[in-house]
Amino acid sequence: MVLSDNFKGALLMMASMAAFTFNDAFMKTISSELSLFQILTLRGVLTVGLIALVMFARGVADFSIPAHDKGKVMLRVVAEIGSAYFFLTALFNMPIANVSAILQALPLTVTLAAAFFFAEPVGWRRMMAILVGLAGVMLIIRPGSDGFTIYSIYALIAVGFVTLRDLVTRRLSRETPSMAVSFYSAVGVTLFFAAGLPAQGWAPVSGFAALMIAGAALMIIGGYLCSIMVMRVGEISFVATFRYSSLVWALALGWFVFGDWPKLQTLLGAAIVIGSGIFMLLRERQIGLRHKRVSTEAT
């Protein structure tokens, strides 16, 4: 059976989302045993080593960053540190599905930020989809309700940092190796949390915790490799819609591992966010096809 490029891309995107969500679950299971800084330091050491091994195994030994991209890479590292701290702090104190539902707003926030900071064109239909999606986020966190906590704000701040990271990534030149960017991001995150580790103290690491940390590191690498491969097959506008499969994994893991199930308002808000994101992606695809057709006719 020959698989189409779109089908391969969809499978890779779903595999990437599954890997990242399992990483979150592994981290959350040991949040009561070890501090955030210790977990991220240990996972970071493993991740840095695994990325280096993957680079050498693939014959990619170039760790250099062009001079004009060094500042952007440093800014990306800062964004990675911020997103790791705020996301995992929220994850350790909220149901995994709730945090995942808030993160589904990323395609909307990236498009909105690109329009605001880089003047990328966004038509009124996509802008309406973004506003509706953001209203869905408000329904998820429900400010003023009994379930609203500071950690809901942390999840929103994490969305802001990931948006910054993605915008900076889009501005990197093609000659900057993707694996090198990932390597330096992992090194930066590891060094930052290792520096802050003495303030939180070191706790003995059980065999179970070590297994969870190793699993998290493997999931991070697997998710990253799949996310690289997915960019090389299929139509991005089609494949990107399958990123929302992460919420399915988060719901399943939240129910079976942690015994959590979101309230109806959270599920409704997540459905609004996902629906808005899919509409925006399909609209972008339609516009892209139209531009392609016009340019073909012009030639």
Side-chain angles (χ1 to χ4, degrees), residues 19 22-23 26 46 210-220:
F22 270 92
N23 160 74
F26 289 154
L46 287 175
L211 185 63
M212 290 297 99
I213 293 171
L218 288 172
M219 289 297 105
I220 283 288

Side-chain angles (χ1 to χ4, degrees), residues 96-290:
I96 186 172
N98 290 47
V99 182
S100 179
I102 294 173
L103 287 183
Q104 304 310 310
L106 275 172
L108 305 175
T109 58
V110 170
T111 300
L112 183 62
F116 184 80
F117 291 107
F118 302 137
E120 293 188 8
V122 177
W124 68 269
R125 293 181 180 85
R126 282 187 290 170
M127 185 58 70
M128 286 300 298
I130 291 171
L131 295 177
V132 170
L134 294 180
V137 173
M138 291 299 103
L139 186 58
I140 294 170
I141 65 175
R142 297 187 295 281
S145 68
D146 294 337
F148 180 77
T149 67
I150 186 63
Y151 301 112
S152 299
I153 300 297
Y154 274 38
L156 289 176
I157 295 174
V159 170
F161 273 112
V162 177
T163 301
L164 173 61
R165 181 199 68 189
D166 288 353
L167 288 178
V168 173
T169 303
R170 287 169 62 171
R171 293 289 156 171
L172 293 175
S173 58
R174 290 184 176 274
E175 58 265 29
T176 298
S178 298
M179 291 297 289
V181 173
S182 180
F183 175 79
Y184 288 120
S185 296
V187 169
V189 170
T190 304
L191 291 177
F192 176 85
F193 287 101
L197 181 56
Q200 292 195 344
W202 182 273
V205 180
S206 66
F208 175 76
L211 185 63
M212 290 297 99
I213 293 171
L218 288 172
M219 289 297 105
I220 283 288
I221 299 300
Y224 182 70
L225 290 176
C226 286
S227 66
I228 291 176
M229 290 186 288
V230 79
M231 292 296 112
R232 298 175 179 174
V233 293
E235 302 171 37
I236 298 302
S237 56
F238 172 82
V239 171
T241 59
F242 290 88
R243 68 172 291 116
Y244 296 113
S245 62
S246 63
L247 185 58
V248 176
W249 286 107
L251 287 168
L253 290 171
W255 174 260
F256 289 111
V257 179
F258 305 106
D260 296 324
W261 188 257
K263 294 182 178 179
L264 180 61
Q265 298 97 314
T266 300
L267 293 174
L268 178 59
I272 292 173
V273 172
I274 292 173
S276 300
I278 291 176
F279 172 84
M280 189 186 67
L281 290 168
L282 293 176
R283 180 62 183 167
E284 288 178 357
R285 184 187 186 196
Q286 185 182 42
I287 293 172
L289 290 173
R290 183 188 304 164

